[in-house]
Amino acid sequence: MAFRTFYLTSLIAALSSPVCLAQLGPSQPQIGTSDIPTPTYVVEGTVINSVTGEPIRAALVQIQIGQQISLLTGPDGKFHFEGVPQSQLTINVRKPGFFTEQEILQGSITNQLIQVGPGMKPVTMKLIPEAVIYGRITDSDGDPIQNLQIMLVHASIVNGQRTWQQMGSAQTKDDGEFRLFGLPPGTYYLRTQSRPTANLRVGANSQTAPGGYPSNYYPGITDLDSATAITVEPAKEVQADFSVKRETFYRVSGGVIGAPTQMPVSIQILGLDGERFSGRVQMNPRAGTFIAFVPKGSYVIKAYARGNKGPQGVASQSVNVNGDVAGLSLAFTPPATIPVEVRFEITQTTNSGSYSKDMQPVNVALVSKSSMFANQVYSATMQGQPESRSFAITNVEPGRYAVQLMPNGHWYVESARCGQISLLTEDLNVQAGGPEHPIEIVVRDDFATVSGTVSLDGQPAQGTVLLIPEANPRGTVTFPTNPDGRFQRGDLPPGDYKAIGFDRVDGLEYTNTEAMRAYSPWEQPVHISPNGQATVQLELQKRAN
Amino acid sequence: MHVGWLEILLLMLLQQAPASAPIASNLRIAGTAVDAISGAPVKEAAVFLTRGRTTVSVLTQLDGRFVFEHLEAGKYALSARGKGYQVQAFNQHENFSTAIVVGDDQNTENLLFRLSPAASISGQVADEFSEAVRDAQVMLLWEGITNGRQSVETRNETSTDDKGQYRFTGLQPGRYYVAVSAQPWYAHNTLRPDGVSFGSTRGLQPITEQNANLDVVYPVTYYPHETEAARASMITLQPGSRATADLALQPVPALHLRFAVRGADLHLPEGVEIQVGQQILGGQPIFANGQIISRDKESIEVAGIPPGHLIVSLDMNADPANRKGTRSVQQQIDATRDGTVELTEIADDVAVSGKVEITGTVGFPDPAGIALRSPETGSNYFANISKEGKNEFQIANVKPGSYYVLVENAPGFYIDKVQAFGATVSGNHLAIGSGAQVRLAVRIAQGLGRVDGVALRDAKPAAGVMILLIPNQSQNYPFRFRRDQSDSDGSFTLQQVLPGQYTLVAIENGWNQQWADPSVFKQWLSGGEVVQVAPNGKYTVKVKVQ
């Protein structure tokens, strides 16, 4: 099949130029001609493997001009589109087993757009090969463990913050082997699921204690902090064998007191990383009692009472399991409500400072820090009538939270406090019954502008600017410079900043002050006054790969 | 004896101590575990002995020997498991095995437990560029005797990894085929940004891809690269062998077909379910990942269809005028080019209702129900028998076809007689035509029988022989066959036997024969024993091995 070359004649009413006529090959018939020949061009190039540089055969290249045209590259990795009118074109390439550059490098300049016209050159498109983690899981006798669930945890930096995400799972096969493929380059952890098993080390007629395989992080650790990270690079296959020892599971039992009557209770057992224990938990929802068999370790047991209107209460208790534990007693507390108050300090005459009644001026969300995988988020909602403009976060469980704030209009958050604590830099600790103070937010609109140039050894250089507010590192802003190294950025909250110019910021944990200490020699302090302008000159820092 | 596999595994997990005999018994079971092919002893295999709810286990020694001592007299199930050996019962055939009878007059000293090593089939699926196809659906098909007839059935399914590799392990020896269903990853019918799920008529989008060379599909392909089932290569697996079966997929141009149903109204808000698929060897159809690209009142246009023999299945609401019930099309067609296909095999679904008459005085369990089962199409329907509703039952939307009527969730009860108005009945067999309503009168009785006995070869007890109870008029009562494997003392038990007339036979090598086929079993009848089973009847029969 002629995959390599495609002729766009069916799209364009006007016939291609005589030059293109001479190049016609077998494929498509031509549609009728017109008197005015429109100049058309050839879009061609090669798709290559970003690691080896070798051409990739049978990659799918797509361009969009109104409609979509796709081609598969030939054995030399080349593609060739004819009859393309002068335009700015999006060109995409993909193939199983590879990532596109856009998928891997978040927020960097992409070369997806091509200028089609006279003098255009052949294009090189890169695909980044996937990585694989594979291995074999055995028990302490060296026998393979079959059908064990393995979870993949991806550690990465997103928006300057370190996050952990669960990224899929696999099951071991009959020989204990697993294979996790399709991985983007990065840092990973492996975690096996706990599973009760019988002891089939047969002795004569022995009644064995309940037990099973505890949950383990590679290479055999129970908590994430001490686990070994597996770093994979494109095209690499990393082997990660490990062994899990069967352990006794201990009986943990207890009950809940103070639950609202008539409300069924559900009970969860969470490990230190916030993950739910996946083994056997027997519950009596009416009586609020539970029995579970868990491996030794530290857990938090949570009980929820859920009514028709949502959660009506929660009880939680930490427990260290080293043997059977009986008689746990979890006391229910009603969930907390945290009022949110917003004060406006609007100075611009053009800004009326008004917002529609049913909208919050600032979106407030609490992100739970007790689970590694940040699943639980509470958002503030409107309370009562819209006219009252009263907002609160309801049904908040006790715990530690990071506060996320997003203005809903042309203003910025100048401060957010809960009593003495600045929520811009610290987490919020919610006790049973709720915090003593409401969350008080002050918003302003006296935005300022920063401009300047990034240069390298005296020459202007294109890069990315990092602006870190001293009072609020989580509010760090990044933006690319123009090709000539110049930049200008408005809508900035005034205050003191540190500015640095980098070639790229992906993978940089810029919200973490400790992590940024290495770059302090190159930080330029910038002070921006309210409604003011500031200029700064930055030296481009190239980050080591 | 018949082994319930779930029970064996659960018992292995529970592993309680057996009740010890009141006086120290000198009865024991001893033997050696060996590899069924090489004869070499198998060490460190776990051997399990089960009786009732109790299981005991030991590991075999270096010479393969195992011993269970101080046993009570009785019948024990013996099974074993080891490295490279799937869990298996002693002298296992299908899910039957020879149980070991322990007693003063029995010799249970030198059992030879032949362990059949597990076999495997693995391979790679590659495309026309000789590159790996990932996430291809690979099916393992097994050919052998199922329910007494030769058939091919799907035994297992898996998908390929990033290297296109698949593996099926723990297989018993036998005859297998491997089939693959996959889509070319670059095919334009999967390239559209807003994918339309097959079967749904919401969100119809015209296909915008211009390169017709990418409008291709992979038809279902059998090892090694055949798209016609008749040419599939069979893989004969010996015990312990590791076979390799690589498959090569070739794309073919996809078809665009317009399916027309005259007089129908396919413009319904809830949409129309259409599926177009290929039949695979011995399995349910594999539905193609096609797309609906247009629809009007009387037709649906579908793209991305593989050419060849197709099964079209379309469900729609019945006659809009009365809006009752559903109507469906199930039609097989051969298509090699784009075009319009008239669907004419339209059937109106049938409402089946009935009343159950229960003879006997013992209470009828709740919720028991009536089932309609079609072995050929695999469709099953079930309805509860409503006690408040005076033992009535209703099954709506039954597709016309041929079914067996059965009673379910009522152990000990059986269907004595079925009468039908609006359908044809013979025995338990019901033939339902299109449209209409069917009214059944079902008489259920209680009292299943039991047949015990001994198989004799030259007047001596014969172990490991296939025992078969053949019902008269077996074509109308195919669910009445009963089987067992004779135990170490030649004894066997057939339970839950429906009252009726039977012939009992013992066939030495019956395991590989199509025992449900009258042309096969008729030669055995004269050497068997006639048994007339009355409700709740218990019988003991001696039967000669043929």
Side-chain angles (χ1 to χ4, degrees), chain A residues 7 9 30 36 49 81 122 131 148 231 248 369 397 420 498:
Chain A
Y7 301 90
T9 52
Q30 301 215 15
I36 313 162
N49 180 316
F81 293 91
L148 189 66
T231 307
T248 308
K369 297 296 279 262
E397 275 181 45
Q420 297 294 336
K498 293 185 277 216

Side-chain angles (χ1 to χ4, degrees), chain A residues 215-235:
Chain A
S215 168
N216 265 345
Y217 282 93
Y218 173 78
I221 314 279
T222 40
D223 67 298
L224 185 52
D225 291 331
S226 340
T228 303
I230 302 172
T231 307
V232 295
E233 290 160 34

Side-chain angles (χ1 to χ4, degrees), chain B residues 304-542:
Chain B
I305 301 176
H309 187 78
L310 300 171
I311 299 180
V312 184
S313 173
L314 175 62
D315 275 338
M316 49 192 161
N317 276 343
D319 181 15
N322 63 17
R323 280 282 177 137
K324 269 203 283 194
T326 58
R327 166 178 261 218
S328 55
V329 172
Q330 191 94 6
Q331 189 158 333
Q332 300 200 17
I333 61 170
D334 287 288
T336 48
R337 305 199 281 279
D338 292 358
T340 300
V341 176
E342 295 278 341
L343 295 176
T344 52
E345 292 173 24
I346 305 170
D348 280 310
D349 290 349
V350 171
V352 174
S353 65
K355 194 178 165 76
V356 171
E357 180 200 324
I358 306 171
T359 60
T361 50
V362 181
F364 194 59
D366 199 15
I370 295 291
L372 299 181
R373 291 192 185 284
S374 169
E376 25 174 85
T377 64
S379 38
N380 293 320
Y381 300 92
F382 177 84
N384 281 328
I385 300 173
S386 158
K387 282 204 176 146
E388 298 81 31
K390 299 198 171 103
N391 291 343
E392 289 267 340
F393 64 91
Q394 323 266 359
I395 310 177
N397 299 335
V398 176
K399 292 208 187 336
S402 120
Y403 298 92
Y404 289 99
V405 185
L406 301 165
V407 61
E408 304 213 333
N409 298 336
F413 286 86
Y414 63 96
I415 292 188
D416 193 24
K417 191 177 174 64
V418 177
Q419 281 177 303
F421 301 94
T424 325
V425 165
S426 57
N428 275 43
H429 180 268
L430 193 64
I432 298 181
S434 172
Q437 295 178 338
V438 173
R439 178 102 188 129
L440 299 178
V442 179
R443 195 168 73 202
I444 297 181
Q446 197 185 18
L448 297 173
R450 180 185 160 123
V451 179
D452 293 276
V454 179
L456 298 169
R457 189 192 297 113
D458 302 327
K460 287 209 272 275
V465 169
M466 182 178 94
I467 310 296
L468 177 67
L469 194 65
I470 306 171
N472 284 20
Q473 294 182 305
S474 63
Q475 309 89 290
N476 292 337
Y477 301 106
F479 296 95
R480 290 193 180 183
F481 282 96
R482 294 289 180 266
R483 281 196 304 161
D484 194 13
Q485 176 167 330
S486 60
D487 295 324
S488 64
D489 61 351
S491 63
F492 59 84
T493 302
L494 300 166
Q495 308 209 46
Q496 309 232 316
V497 182
L498 268 65
Q501 181 133 3
Y502 296 86
T503 307
L504 180 71
V505 298
I507 309 297
E508 184 89 58
N509 292 314
W511 304 106
N512 294 329
Q513 309 209 35
Q514 298 199 61
W515 46 262
D517 184 344
S519 65
V520 171
F521 67 64
K522 71 175 188 221
Q523 57 193 311
W524 300 331
L525 294 173
S526 53
E529 301 293 326
V530 171
V531 182
Q532 177 87 28
V533 175
N536 286 319
K538 296 194 186 348
Y539 308 86
T540 307
V541 182
K542 290 199 175 89

